[in-house]
Amino acid sequence: MNRRTLPVAVAAAATVSLLLTACGGGDDKTNDKIAGSEQSAPPSASASPSASPSDVTGRPKITLPADFKNEFEGWTTGDPVKDAVLTDVTHRINATDAAIASDEPASPAIPFYYQRDALIGADKWIADYKKDGLTVTGTMRFFSPKIEVFSARSAAVTYCSDDTKAFNKDRKTGKVDMSASSSPYVTYSTALEKNDKGIWQTTRLDSKRGDKTCAP
């Protein structure tokens, strides 16, 4: 299929690079033309408990279209800090697709869950969909998250996606692009920081299609 992936951050944080290497990503920086992503690993003992997702008020409403959904497999760990990080990664992914589907690049949910380099990349990605007159349809599958919490405000997450059943759709004609991609599997890596509201915001992104880490 021709489902796009998020744009790559210009320079990944050192902690993210080390984590990717440990997970088998190596130093290969070959990335998709357009893409959006995250990254993960287990929390350190120095990390203090994070507010649970339900404790945070003022979250923007996110609504995905009836013909599109994201599925998250293995997205809970039982650890409250890690699960708070993964929850905000989930909201970020959904917010991005909701902004594309609603043709709303200026969605308030985007800067709510993205900041810094990652926000720049997400804004461009969403704007490119609008410029090309495209939206999304089908089902995206996200799996194998790995989380590392470095401190009370710093974390990293890596995870995989499978876009076998997710496609681009022409917004005007409704025609779905069913063409196959070189590989439906994408490895995502992200760096996150918790803001004063308790939201784990993605600050850096990287993605790599066809990485053996995610291939079955």
Side-chain angles (χ1 to χ4, degrees), residues 99-135:
I100 291 171
S102 63
D103 203 20
E104 188 182 4
S107 166
I110 301 305
F112 195 86
Y113 292 108
Y114 287 94
Q115 279 299 308
R116 305 209 310 233
D117 288 352
L119 177 59
I120 295 171
D123 283 344
K124 182 183 185 307
W125 191 50
I126 297 166
D128 282 348
Y129 263 95
K130 183 178 181 67
K131 179 184 68 176
D132 294 340
L134 298 173
T135 184

Side-chain angles (χ1 to χ4, degrees), residues 4-68:
R4 299 179 175 186
T5 40
L6 284 172
V8 178
V10 175
T15 51
V16 175
S17 298
L18 289 172
L19 178 59
L20 285 175
T21 301
C23 290
D27 295 322
D28 188 345
K29 297 298 182 182
T30 303
N31 294 283
D32 288 343
K33 178 182 178 183
I34 302 179
S37 338
E38 288 102 355
Q39 161 185 30
S40 75
S44 67
S46 61
S48 62
S50 172
S52 67
S54 60
D55 292 338
V56 180
T57 59
R59 290 181 181 273
K61 183 178 180 180
I62 299 172
T63 304
L64 292 172
D67 65 340
F68 181 84

Side-chain angles (χ1 to χ4, degrees), residues 22-205:
C23 290
D27 295 322
D28 188 345
K29 297 298 182 182
T30 303
N31 294 283
D32 288 343
K33 178 182 178 183
I34 302 179
S37 338
E38 288 102 355
Q39 161 185 30
S40 75
S44 67
S46 61
S48 62
S50 172
S52 67
S54 60
D55 292 338
V56 180
T57 59
R59 290 181 181 273
K61 183 178 180 180
I62 299 172
T63 304
L64 292 172
D67 65 340
F68 181 84
K69 66 178 179 178
N70 289 314
E71 294 181 342
F72 300 89
E73 298 177 3
W75 223 253
T76 57
T77 68
D79 180 288
V81 180
K82 291 181 180 181
D83 287 347
V85 174
L86 287 177
T87 293
D88 283 337
V89 170
T90 300
H91 288 319
R92 177 181 62 74
I93 294 171
N94 287 336
T96 307
D97 288 317
I100 291 171
S102 63
D103 203 20
E104 188 182 4
S107 166
I110 301 305
F112 195 86
Y113 292 108
Y114 287 94
Q115 279 299 308
R116 305 209 310 233
D117 288 352
L119 177 59
I120 295 171
D123 283 344
K124 182 183 185 307
W125 191 50
I126 297 166
D128 282 348
Y129 263 95
K130 183 178 181 67
K131 179 184 68 176
D132 294 340
L134 298 173
T135 184
V136 292
T137 187
T139 300
M140 277 286 290
R141 184 171 71 97
F142 297 93
F143 60 100
S144 298
K146 297 179 179 63
I147 310 101
E148 174 117 21
V149 179
F150 302 109
S151 71
R153 288 182 176 267
S154 177
V157 176
T158 61
Y159 61 88
C160 300
S161 73
D162 172 10
D163 59 23
T164 304
K165 297 180 180 179
F167 308 93
N168 290 329
K169 181 173 70 173
D170 188 283
R171 192 177 294 279
K172 289 184 178 179
T173 67
K175 182 179 179 180
V176 178
D177 182 356
M178 303 291 289
S179 60
S181 66
S182 57
S183 171
Y185 299 100
V186 180
T187 301
Y188 289 98
S189 63
T190 58
L192 301 98
E193 294 179 8
K194 190 172 74 170
N195 66 13
D196 292 340
K197 294 182 179 179
I199 304 298
W200 285 95
Q201 296 178 304
T202 297
T203 58
R204 290 182 183 269
L205 301 160

